[in-house]
Amino acid sequence: MKRIIKGSEPPCLLQYRQIDGANYDGYSPKKSLKEALLTEQGYICCYCMRRISIDNMEIEHWQPQSKYPELQINYKNLLASCSGNRGSQKDNQHCNPRKGDVEIIINPADVSKNCENYIRYSSTGKIFSDDETINHELNEILNLNYQTLIENRKIAFHTVINALNRKFPNKTWSKEAIKKMLEKLTTKDKEGKYSPYCQYIFWYLSKRLNNP
């Protein structure tokens, strides 16, 4: 999970919110809203960090619409999520479809509580937290250790590791090379996109840099 810095909301959403009785379902088309969310998130899912686009994303209400109708068109409450196998059995769902109307405390867009400080990863591609509540949310509510996600994280990870090993055949990476890769992982490319699963790789390389 990567921290999200919320930007300015689309002017059309701001204008629509001034209408009496304005609600999420009545706000259409949602293209500009989706584009704004994708832009600020670098085209990765707010929870699992897989690549998303305007065609395969869902608008996630961090605070569920059913419980907080007053926040249904509050831009700070809106995130871009992947479709998370929507329509399949619950065990195979993850991210927004799996979460549904459940409230969680881990919020990638929380300005006062950086989610990255509460997330850990294992060498096997699993995500976890030392905080029991957050760990439960990652596993049971968001299902971020769904096997496909684990495998995708490992593939992305090994792609970067193999690139570094090719550059340094003796597997003794220079600190400068690690720092350069860390900078790349935290910077959007020329298309405004982050690398999928970037925070997992960032976490590992940061440990490698600090504990050579």
Side-chain angles (χ1 to χ4, degrees):
M1 192 178 295
K2 183 172 179 55
R3 187 182 190 186
I4 296 169
I5 306 299
K6 298 294 290 180
S8 300
E9 64 182 316
C12 56
L13 178 62
L14 175 61
Q15 294 171 6
Y16 175 73
R17 202 166 50 245
Q18 312 308 313
I19 301 173
D20 288 339
N23 59 64
Y24 178 76
D25 290 336
Y27 176 63
S28 181
K30 295 183 173 66
K31 182 179 179 181
S32 60
L33 173 56
K34 289 183 176 182
E35 290 175 340
L37 296 173
L38 287 169
T39 297
E40 67 190 12
Q41 291 178 207
Y43 292 79
I44 59 174
C45 174
C46 61
Y47 296 128
C48 73
M49 298 185 293
R50 67 184 293 188
R51 170 71 70 228
I52 54 175
S53 69
I54 198 166
D55 297 319
N56 66 7
M57 66 162 282
E58 297 184 357
I59 297 176
E60 149 76 331
H61 291 76
W62 183 72
Q63 293 278 41
Q65 294 185 71
S66 60
K67 300 178 181 179
Y68 300 90
E70 69 278 11
L71 298 177
Q72 62 183 304
I73 47 177
N74 184 319
Y75 187 67
K76 293 182 179 180
N77 189 49
L78 304 179
L79 304 170
S81 169
C82 68
S83 58
N85 296 326
R86 181 176 293 281
S88 63
Q89 294 182 349
K90 187 174 181 180
D91 288 347
N92 294 327
Q93 294 179 7
H94 56 86
C95 299
N96 186 37
R98 172 80 173 217
K99 174 177 170 284
D101 287 343
V102 178
E103 292 185 62
I104 58 176
I105 64 172
I106 187 73
N107 180 1
D110 190 338
V111 296
S112 63
K113 190 176 182 180
N114 187 347
C115 66
E116 296 173 6
N117 295 332
Y118 298 87
I119 301 295
R120 305 285 184 270
Y121 300 92
S122 74
S123 59
T124 60
K126 290 189 175 182
I127 183 174
F128 65 95
S129 176
D130 296 330
D131 183 297
E132 291 185 8
T133 300
I134 294 176
N135 195 57
H136 171 76
E137 294 175 353
L138 297 175
N139 281 281
E140 304 302 327
I141 299 177
L142 296 173
N143 198 21
L144 295 187
N145 280 319
Y146 178 61
Q147 191 59 38
T148 300
L149 295 178
I150 291 176
E151 293 301 322
N152 288 346
R153 283 194 286 266
K154 287 165 61 177
I155 291 171
F157 170 76
H158 286 298
T159 298
V160 171
I161 299 307
N162 289 338
L164 286 170
N165 285 339
R166 285 194 298 271
K167 188 173 183 178
F168 301 94
N170 61 358
K171 296 186 179 181
T172 303
W173 309 334
S174 70
K175 286 189 175 182
E176 291 72 21
I178 297 176
K179 289 178 180 178
K180 187 174 181 180
M181 184 59 72
L182 289 173
E183 182 179 354
K184 181 178 180 181
L185 290 167
T186 55
T187 304
K188 296 175 183 176
D189 64 17
K190 60 183 180 181
E191 295 180 340
K193 298 177 179 179
Y194 287 121
S195 299
Y197 313 105
C198 55
Q199 194 59 32
Y200 169 45
I201 307 167
F202 179 89
W203 185 85
Y204 175 85
L205 290 180
S206 295
K207 285 188 63 179
R208 178 71 177 262
L209 182 65
N210 296 322
N211 299 287

